[in-house]
C-alpha cells in the first residue's frame, strides 16, 4: 500500500513537503486531481498518481495547466473535492480559465496549488503568484513549514466548500522540497461519484450572467475577509513594541533570529497564513501597539504595501519597512543570517556575526554545470542539426525541458527561450521578421502542452521554418511523467490512449514531415537538410527514448565503448558532441565505462573509426 | 537539543538525498527534531546536489554562510566549494575520491590537487576527516554505497551525537531489503576508516 494512503492516525513519519501536501489532500477526501508536471510541484502529483493506481482517487496528467484547470473546474462543479497542481509559471498558462472560474465558483471544495520558485532553482523566472490571488479574488493560504502544509490544505478544502470558491495554496521551493516529521490525521471518506446540476445563470458566463457573478464574487470575498480575521492561521507570537510581519519560510527565519539576538521580550511577530484577503483589523490591532514594524517576505512587497495602506487608514505614523536599498530585496531567496542581520539593523541591535572563513586564497575550482546525460538522444539530434545547418545563418528557438541545456557549446542549439510552447510561435515571428533560416526544437511533452497551437498558426500563416520535435517518449526533465504520446503499456499500465505525433502533425496540414532516428547520424543529417530546404513549414520528428527512462524500464542495456589505438587525436568527439563520458588522460581521449551507455554517436563521427564497443 | 546544522554536498547520482533521509529517520529514532531542505531538479544532469539538515531546537530549514556545524562532502572539490558555509568551528568529513566536472575531463578547467583541498579544509576549519569512500564502497560490494560509507565516517566522529545502532536501524528502515547487508557493511567500513584517522 502507498505510504500516504495508510489509515493510521497518529503515526509520525518523515515526509517531503510535497508528500505532506498530497497526504493532506487525501486526508481532506480529495477525489479528483489534475496537473501538468513542473518543479517544484512535481512530487505532489507523482504521489497522487501512484495512489490513484491503487484507490478510487481519479488523477490525470493533463496536456497543460490550462487543460488541467478546466478539467478540474468541471469536476469541482459536479460535487467532487478537486485538487489542481502546478508550478508558478504554469498558473500563467491557466490564467484564462482561472479568472473566470473565480466568478463561477465551485459546488465542492477545490484547491489550486501554485509552487513558486524564488531563486529560480529550476525555473525561467521568479514571479510572485500571491498577486494571482489578489488579481482573481481567491482566498489564499501560505504554509510556513511541511507539517503546516498538510494541515492547511485540509482547511483550504473546507474553506472552499464554505465559500463555494476555489482556494489557492501558495508554496515556495523551500516548503515543497523540505523534509520534516508529520503526524497523520484521519482520512475523510472520498466522494467519487459526482453529478452536475444544470444552472446556466451561474455557469454560462455570457456578459449578463457574468456581471451578476462579479457582484457575488465580491460578496464572497467580503465573507472571506471576515474569516481571515478569525483564522487561526493568522496569529501573533510574542509581545513587545517592535513588530515583525513574516510569511512562509521567512517566519521561521524570523523566529530563530529573534531568539539568537536575545530580543524575545521586545518583539512580537505576526504570521499571515491566510494571506488573501489580508486580515485588515488584526493587522491594524497589531500595528497599534508597535513603535516600528519590519515586513519580511520573499518576492514582491505584497504584504508590505497592504500593511502600509492599513496603517494609513488607522492614522498610524510609524516606520514600516521591508524592501529598501539597505534591508530586504525582491531578488532570490532569503536565508536565516540575512533575516537576522536585517532585524538587528532595523531595530538597532548590536550584533556581530561570527567571522566568515576567508575564501580569497582557495584554489580555483572548475564549475559543474548541468549537462545532457551520457547517451542522451538530444545530443545526437543537435549534432545532426548543427551539421545540416553548417555554413548557414540560423536562429534556433528552443523550449522548456532537458534539451534547453543544448544552448551550451559545443552544440549551441538554443537562441531564444521564454516559455513552454514558445519555440514554435517565436519561430513564426523570427521567420517573418528576418531573412535568417529558422530551425527550432521542442520536446514531445512540450509539443502537446502548447506547441501544437503555434504549429497550427504556422500552417495557416504560411510561415517558413523547420521544427524538430524531440520525441523521447516521456516528460524527462521533471522526472518521467507520462504525456499523450507515451506508450503507457511500457509501464504496465492499461486504460490509456496514445496520440501519434506524426499523424497529428500531418493532420494539422504540415506538408513536409519526416522521421529520424538520431543515432543514425548520416541519415539524420540528410533528412534534416531536405526538411530545411523545403519552402514552408517542415517538421522533423526525432524518435529515441530518454536514456534514463529506457534504462529504468529495462528497455536498454548499457554497453560501453572505448577509444582504440587507431585514434589520431582529432578530438571531433569532444569538440563536436561533448558527451560527459569523455575525459582526457595524458593527452588522450578516454571513455568512462561506468557512465557510457553505448549510444554509438561518437563512434559514428570519429574520422578514424577509432571508437569501438568495449570487448 | 541545541541546534546542530549540517550541510551535505554531492554530485547528482551519489545518493545525497537517500543519505539525508537515513539521517532523518535516525533522528526520529533518537527523538531529535529535524528539518531538512534539498535542491534537486537539475540533479540528474550532473549538477551539484546540496542538502541542509538542522537537528534540534531551531526553526529554519536552511543554513546560511558560515553557520554549518558539520560539512559532509561526497566529492572533494564540492566539499571545498562549500567552504563558505563553514566557520573555524566546523567539523568537515570528506570523500577523497574525485569526480572531475566534464569541463576538467576535457582539459578546459582546473581541478585542484586533493592534497591541496585537504590542506585548505584542515587549516580553515575545526578538523577534517578524509577517507577514500569510493574504494571502501567497492570493497563493500557497490560503488553506489559511497553515501553510506560516509555516514559511517560521520557517526564515528561523534560530531552528530547519534549512536551507531540507531543509524544502522535507520538504514534498515530506509534501504531496500536486498541491499541492507551490503550497506551495513559499507557503514562499518566508513566507521572504521574514520576511526583509523585521516587518509
Amino acid at each position: 500500500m502507498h505510504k500516504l494512503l495508510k489509515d493510521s492516525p497518529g503515526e509520525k513519519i518523515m515526509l517531503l513537503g510535497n508528500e505532506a501536501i498530497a497526504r493532506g489532500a487525501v486526508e481532506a477526501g480529495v477525489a479528483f486531481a489534475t496537473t501538468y508536471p513542473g518543479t517544484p510541484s512535481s512530487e505532489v502529483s507523482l504521489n497522487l498518481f501512484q495512489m490513484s493506481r491503487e484507490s478510487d482517487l481519479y488523477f490525470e496528467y493533463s496536456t497543460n495547466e490550462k487543460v488541467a484547470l478546466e478539467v478540474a473546474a468541471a469536476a469541482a462543479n459536479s460535487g467532487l473535492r478537486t485538487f489542481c497542481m502546478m508550478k508558478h509559471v504554469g498558473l500563467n498558462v491557466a490564467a484564462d480559465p482561472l479568472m473566470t472560474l473565480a466568478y463561477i465558483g465551485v459546488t465542492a471544495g477545490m484547491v489550486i496549488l501554485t509552487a513558486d520558485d524564488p531563486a529560480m532553482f529550476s525555473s525561467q523566472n521568479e514571479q510572485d503568484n500571491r498577486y494571482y490571488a489578489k488579481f482573481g479574488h481567491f482566498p489564499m493560504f501560505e504554509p510556513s513549514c511541511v507539517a503546516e502544509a498538510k494541515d492547511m490544505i485540509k482547511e483550504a478544502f473546507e474553506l472552499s466548500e464554505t465559500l463555494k470558491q476555489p482556494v489557492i495554496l501558495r508554496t515556495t521551493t523551500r516548503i515543497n522540497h523540505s523534509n520534516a516529521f508529520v503526524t497523520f490525521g484521519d482520512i475523510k471518506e472520498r466522494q467519487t461519484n459526482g453529478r452536475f446540476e444544470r444552472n446556466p445563470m451561474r455557469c454560462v458566463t455570457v456578459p449578463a450572467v457574468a456581471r451578476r457573478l462579479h457582484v457575488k464574487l465580491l460578496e464572497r470575498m467580503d465573507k472571506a475577509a471576515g474569516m481571515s480575521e478569525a483564522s487561526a492561521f493568522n496569529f501573533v507570537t510574542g509581545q513587545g513594541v517592535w513588530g515583525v510581519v513574516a510569511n512562509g519560510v521567512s517566519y521561521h527565519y524570523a523566529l530563530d533570529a529573534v531568539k539568537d539576538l536575545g530580543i524575545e521580550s521586545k518583539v512580537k511577530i505576526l504570521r499571515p497564513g491566510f494571506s488573501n484577503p489580508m486580515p485588515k483589523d488584526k493587522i491594524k490591532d497589531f500595528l497599534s501597539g508597535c513603535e516600528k514594524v519590519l515586513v519580511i517576505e520573499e518576492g514582491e512587497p505584497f504584504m508590505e504595501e497592504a500593511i502600509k495602506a492599513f496603517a494609513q487608514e488607522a492614522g498610524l505614523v510609524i516606520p514600516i519597512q521591508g524592501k529598501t536599498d539597505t534591508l530586504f530585496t525582491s531578488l532570490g531567496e532569503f536565508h536565516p543570517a540575512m533575516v537576522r542581520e536585517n532585524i538587528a539593523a532595523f531595530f538597532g541591535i548590536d550584533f556581530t556575526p561570527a567571522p566568515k572563513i576567508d575564501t580569497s586564497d582557495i584554489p580555483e575550482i572548475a564549475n559543474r554545470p548541468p549537462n545532457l546525460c551520457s547517451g542522451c538522444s538530444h545530443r545526437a539530434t543537435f549534432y545532426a542539426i548543427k551539421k545540416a545547418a553548417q555554413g548557414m545563418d540560423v536562429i534556433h528557438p528552443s523550449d522548456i525541458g532537458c534539451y534547453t541545456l543544448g544552448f551550451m557549446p559545443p552544440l549551441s542549439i538554443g537562441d531564444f527561450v521564454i516559455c513552454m510552447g514558445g519555440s514554435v510561435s517565436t519561430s513564426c515571428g523570427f521567420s517573418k521578421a528576418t531573412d535568417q533560416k529558422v530551425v527550432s526544437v521542442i520536446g514531445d511533452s512540450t509539443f502537446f502542452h502548447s506547441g501544437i497551437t503555434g504549429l497550427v498558426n504556422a500552417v495557416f500563416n504560411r510561415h517558413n521554418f523547420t521544427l524538430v520535435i524531440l520525441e523521447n517518449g516521456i516528460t524527462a526533465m521533471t522526472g518521467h511523467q507520462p504525456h499523450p504520446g507515451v506508450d503507457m503499456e511500457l509501464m504496465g499500465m492499461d486504460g490509456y490512449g496514445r496520440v501519434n505525433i506524426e499523424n497529428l502533425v500531418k493532420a494539422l496540414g504540415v506538408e513536409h514531415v519526416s522521421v529520424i532516428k538520431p543515432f543514425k547520424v548520416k541519415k539524420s543529417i540528410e533528412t534534416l537538410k531536405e526538411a530545411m530546404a523545403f519552402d514552408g513549414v517542415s517538421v522533423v520528428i526525432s524518435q529515441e527514448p530518454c536514456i534514463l527512462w529506457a534504462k529504468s524500464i529495462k528497455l536498454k542495456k548499457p554497453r560501453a565503448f572505448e577509444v582504440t589505438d587507431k585514434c589520431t587525436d582529432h578530438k571531433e568527439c569532444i569538440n563536436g558532441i561533448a558527451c560527459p563520458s569523455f575525459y582526457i588522460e595524458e593527452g588522450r581521449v578516454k571513455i568512462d565505462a561506468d557512465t557510457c551507455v553505448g549510444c554509438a554517436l561518437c563512434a559514428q563521427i570519429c574520422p578514424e573509426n577509432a571508437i569501438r564497443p568495449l570487448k | 537539543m541545541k541546534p546542530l546544522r549540517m550541510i551535505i554536498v554531492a554530485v547528482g547520482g551519489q545518493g545525497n538525498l537517500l543519505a539525508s533521509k537515513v539521517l532523518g529517520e535516525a533522528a526520529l529514532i533518537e527523538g531529535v527534531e529535524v528539518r531538512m531542505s534539498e535542491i534537486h531538479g537539475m540533479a540528474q544532469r550532473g549538477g551539484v546536489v546540496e542538502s541542509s539538515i538542522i537537528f534540534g531546537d531551531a526553526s529554519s530549514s536552511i543554513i546560511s554562510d558560515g553557520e554549518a556545524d558539520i560539512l559532509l562532502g561526497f566529492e572533494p572539490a564540492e566539499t571545498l566549494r562549500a567552504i563558505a558555509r563553514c566557520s573555524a568551528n566546523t567539523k568537515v568529513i570528506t570523500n577523497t575520491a574525485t569526480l572531475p566536472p566534464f569541463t576538467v575531463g576535457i582539459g578546459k578547467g582546473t581541478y585542484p590537487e586533493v592534497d591541496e583541498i585537504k590542506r585548505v579544509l584542515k587549516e580553515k576549519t575545526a578538523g577534517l576527516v578524509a577517507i577514500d569512500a569510493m574504494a571502501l564502497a567497492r570493497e563493500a560490494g557497490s560503488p553506489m554505497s559511497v553515501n553510506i560509507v560516509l555516514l559511517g565516517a560521520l557517526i564515528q566522529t561523534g560530531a552528530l551525537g547519534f549512536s551507531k545502532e540507531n543509524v544502522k536501524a535507520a538504514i534498515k528502515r530506509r534501504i531496500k531489503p536486498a541491499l541492507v547487508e551490503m550497506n551495513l557493511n559499507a557503514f562499518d567500513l566508513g566507521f572504521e576508516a574514520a576511526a583509523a584517522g585521516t587518509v
Side-chain angles (χ1 to χ4, degrees):
Chain A
M1 187 195 240
H2 194 284
K3 69 177 176 188
L4 301 181
L5 277 177
K6 280 204 290 190
D7 189 13
S8 51
E11 184 183 344
K12 195 174 172 186
I13 178 173
M14 188 173 56
L15 293 182
L16 186 69
N18 281 343
E19 294 174 321
I21 291 167
R23 170 69 187 188
V26 168
E27 288 183 10
V30 71
F32 201 98
T34 63
T35 194
Y36 181 82
T39 310
S41 75
S42 309
E43 298 86 359
V44 184
S45 29
L46 173 68
N47 280 281
L48 290 167
F49 179 42
Q50 290 164 343
M51 285 187 270
S52 74
R53 304 297 302 177
E54 45 183 294
S55 71
D56 57 357
L57 166 71
Y58 178 78
F59 175 90
E60 72 167 51
Y61 281 109
S62 309
T63 40
N64 68 26
E65 296 83 359
K66 174 173 162 5
V67 174
L69 187 65
E70 289 158 349
V71 171
N77 274 290
S78 305
L80 303 188
R81 281 205 165 183
T82 301
F83 191 23
C84 186
M85 298 139 269
M86 59 199 71
K87 68 180 297 177
H88 61 330
V89 287
L91 200 52
N92 301 337
V93 179
D96 195 6
L98 181 78
M99 304 304 271
T100 305
L101 182 60
Y103 283 43
I104 288 177
V106 291
T107 58
M110 176 171 179
V111 178
I112 299 163
L113 171 75
T114 164
D116 292 11
D117 190 15
M120 297 175 277
F121 293 104
S122 53
S123 305
Q124 64 268 44
N125 73 23
E126 52 184 346
Q127 68 187 41
D128 185 337
N129 275 10
R130 292 180 294 172
Y131 289 102
Y132 268 114
K134 204 174 162 82
F135 186 24
H137 299 291
F138 292 94
M140 173 172 61
F141 284 156
E142 290 181 77
S144 290
C145 67
V146 170
E148 192 184 37
K150 190 195 71 140
D151 297 337
M152 263 188 182
I153 187 163
K154 293 161 74 174
E155 189 78 15
F157 273 106
E158 293 299 327
L159 176 67
S160 167
E161 219 144 85
T162 307
L163 290 171
K164 307 276 182 243
Q165 175 77 353
V167 172
I168 289 180
L169 180 73
R170 187 252 186 178
T171 59
T172 56
T173 306
R174 291 296 179 180
I175 298 289
N176 300 97
H177 288 170
S178 283
N179 279 276
F181 299 147
V182 171
T183 305
F184 280 175
D186 293 320
I187 296 178
K188 192 178 155 77
E189 205 184 324
R190 269 186 292 283
Q191 168 63 43
T192 56
N193 213 341
R195 196 189 139 68
F196 176 69
E197 300 294 342
R198 194 168 178 273
N199 184 357
M201 295 310 283
R202 180 175 69 82
C203 297
V204 182
T205 48
V206 295
V209 174
R211 279 184 207 112
R212 287 182 38 244
L213 292 179
H214 196 178
V215 176
K216 294 216 151 139
L217 172 60
L218 298 189
E219 285 168 8
R220 287 201 293 271
M221 288 309 281
D222 274 348
K223 203 169 157 195
M227 295 166 90
S228 176
E229 295 290 355
S231 172
F233 288 132
N234 294 332
F235 57 80
V236 178
T237 55
Q239 278 183 331
V241 290
W242 293 343
V244 166
V245 184
N247 73 329
V249 288
S250 303
Y251 169 65
H252 287 290
Y253 306 159
L255 271 186
D256 281 347
V258 166
K259 197 158 59 171
D260 294 347
L261 294 168
I263 50 174
E264 287 115 313
S265 61
K266 292 182 179 155
V267 177
K268 60 176 178 177
I269 307 179
L270 171 68
R271 201 300 303 267
F274 184 160
S275 52
N276 194 59
M278 295 273 280
K280 192 194 275 200
D281 292 340
K282 199 176 258 179
I283 290 172
K284 285 180 183 170
D285 185 53
F286 176 84
L287 297 177
S288 70
C290 291
E291 284 170 7
K292 57 197 299 196
V293 174
L294 181 65
V295 184
I296 309 177
E297 57 188 325
E298 290 171 340
E300 303 299 322
F302 179 86
M303 300 194 300
E304 183 184 342
E305 286 172 358
I307 290 167
K308 284 174 172 167
F310 297 151
Q312 197 273 345
E313 281 178 11
L316 291 166
V317 186
I318 52 169
I320 299 172
Q321 285 188 329
K323 312 274 180 193
T324 73
D325 290 345
T326 53
L327 291 168
F328 292 105
T329 166
S330 296
L331 304 172
E333 240 194 349
F334 292 1
H335 59 87
M338 172 205 264
V339 168
R340 191 196 303 121
E341 280 157 27
N342 283 341
I343 289 179
F346 184 72
F347 294 112
I349 308 295
D350 265 343
F351 170 72
T352 321
K356 284 185 185 151
I357 284 186
D358 172 20
T359 53
S360 59
D361 58 343
I362 303 282
E364 194 192 326
I365 318 167
N367 283 333
R368 196 183 291 272
N371 199 343
L372 296 171
C373 305
S374 291
C376 172
S377 60
H378 300 331
R379 182 176 288 106
T381 311
F382 292 168
Y383 179 81
I385 293 174
K386 227 175 147 81
K387 287 289 168 194
Q390 213 157 31
M392 294 186 216
D393 182 11
V394 186
I395 309 173
H396 294 295
S398 184
D399 222 293
I400 308 284
C402 299
Y403 52 90
T404 321
L405 296 173
F407 83 99
M408 285 188 297
L411 298 162
S412 308
I413 302 291
D415 296 323
F416 196 82
V417 177
I418 45 172
C419 64
M420 292 202 110
S423 70
V424 192
S425 325
T426 55
S427 294
C428 297
F430 285 125
S431 75
K432 278 285 166 192
T434 73
D435 295 327
Q436 289 160 286
K437 187 82 204 157
V438 179
V439 181
S440 47
V441 294
I442 191 166
D444 43 4
S445 185
T446 312
F447 177 67
F448 285 115
H449 177 279
S450 48
I452 294 171
T453 40
L455 194 54
V456 170
N457 181 65
V459 170
F460 175 70
N461 289 302
R462 292 194 180 257
H463 291 303
N464 182 5
F465 61 90
T466 299
L467 174 68
V468 183
I469 303 177
L470 306 161
E471 187 178 14
N472 66 357
I474 203 76
T475 315
M477 186 78 206
T478 43
H480 298 150
Q481 292 86 354
H483 62 66
V486 172
D487 181 356
M488 296 296 278
E489 283 177 13
L490 286 176
M491 283 183 265
M493 291 186 200
D494 54 13
Y496 290 92
R498 190 178 176 194
V499 180
N500 180 298
I501 294 181
E502 188 181 353
N503 292 346
L504 171 64
V505 170
K506 284 180 177 162
L508 294 181
V510 178
E511 284 167 19
H512 196 291
V513 182
S514 40
V515 176
I516 59 171
K517 303 284 175 190
F519 288 129
K520 293 184 175 166
V521 179
K522 268 191 192 147
K523 188 114 200 288
S524 299
I525 296 171
E526 279 165 32
T527 311
L528 278 158
K529 275 185 179 164
E530 281 168 27
M532 286 162 63
F534 181 77
D535 187 23
V537 186
S538 58
V539 168
V540 179
I541 304 163
S542 178
Q543 290 175 338
E544 181 65 34
C546 161
I547 183 64
L548 291 182
W549 171 240
K551 275 200 287 186
S552 74
I553 58 169
K554 308 216 166 18
L555 214 60
K556 280 258 163 76
K557 255 199 173 156
R559 183 192 182 195
F561 277 54
E562 64 174 341
V563 183
T564 64
D565 294 343
K566 285 166 81 180
C567 168
T568 57
D569 218 18
H570 282 80
K571 293 203 172 68
E572 171 67 13
C573 51
I574 281 189
N575 297 330
I577 58 178
C579 170
S581 288
F582 296 132
Y583 62 98
I584 292 178
E585 202 173 72
E586 290 162 5
R588 308 285 293 175
V589 178
K590 297 267 171 90
I591 294 174
D592 174 13
D594 285 346
T595 56
C596 174
V597 297
C599 72
L601 174 62
C602 56
Q604 292 176 67
I605 68 163
C606 173
E608 285 103 14
N609 224 356
I611 303 177
R612 294 279 178 185
L614 194 64
K615 278 177 203 131
Chain B
M1 173 179 157
K2 191 173 153 282
L4 200 136
R5 297 175 171 87
M6 174 169 160
I7 298 262
I8 306 184
V9 287
V11 175
Q14 283 193 304
N16 171 348
L17 301 184
L18 179 62
S20 306
K21 292 207 162 108
V22 168
L23 286 178
E25 197 69 42
L28 189 65
I29 299 169
E30 291 263 351
V32 170
E33 272 303 318
V34 64
R35 278 156 310 282
M36 312 197 293
S37 180
E38 55 202 47
I39 286 306
H40 39 103
M42 297 285 189
Q44 277 184 318
R45 280 98 202 157
V48 183
V49 188
E50 179 184 300
S51 306
S52 305
I53 314 182
I54 302 174
F55 301 95
D57 187 21
S59 164
S60 309
S61 68
I62 59 170
I63 301 168
S64 300
D65 280 356
E67 302 198 339
D69 297 298
I70 304 170
L71 167 63
L72 180 61
F74 286 18
E75 203 284 335
E78 295 313 321
T79 315
L80 182 62
R81 204 194 301 277
I83 198 169
R85 301 305 191 85
C86 301
S87 69
N89 301 319
T90 307
K91 183 92 190 155
V92 182
I93 298 112
T94 190
N95 185 6
T96 56
T98 62
L99 282 174
F102 176 69
T103 41
V104 171
I106 59 167
K108 288 182 180 160
T110 327
Y111 194 99
E113 291 293 325
V114 174
D115 283 342
E116 176 67 1
I117 294 177
K118 280 158 61 176
R119 184 190 65 77
V120 173
L121 289 169
K122 204 166 189 170
E123 233 173 67
K124 293 184 183 270
T125 65
L128 172 71
V129 171
I131 61 168
D132 185 344
M134 185 48 125
L136 296 171
R138 287 190 200 277
E139 191 182 328
S142 165
M144 298 297 286
S145 64
V146 159
N147 55 351
I148 304 299
V149 170
L150 286 160
L151 283 193
L154 165 73
I155 297 307
Q156 193 283 329
T157 64
L160 187 53
F162 286 6
S163 81
K164 194 176 173 177
E165 291 66 36
N166 283 345
V167 178
K168 285 184 154 187
I171 289 172
K172 286 179 196 157
R173 283 196 202 174
R174 280 279 171 173
I175 289 179
K176 282 186 204 147
L179 300 174
V180 164
E181 269 316 305
M182 190 264 290
N183 276 290
L184 289 177
N185 189 17
F187 181 90
D188 285 335
L189 288 174
F191 194 93
E192 286 155 21
T198 62
V199 173

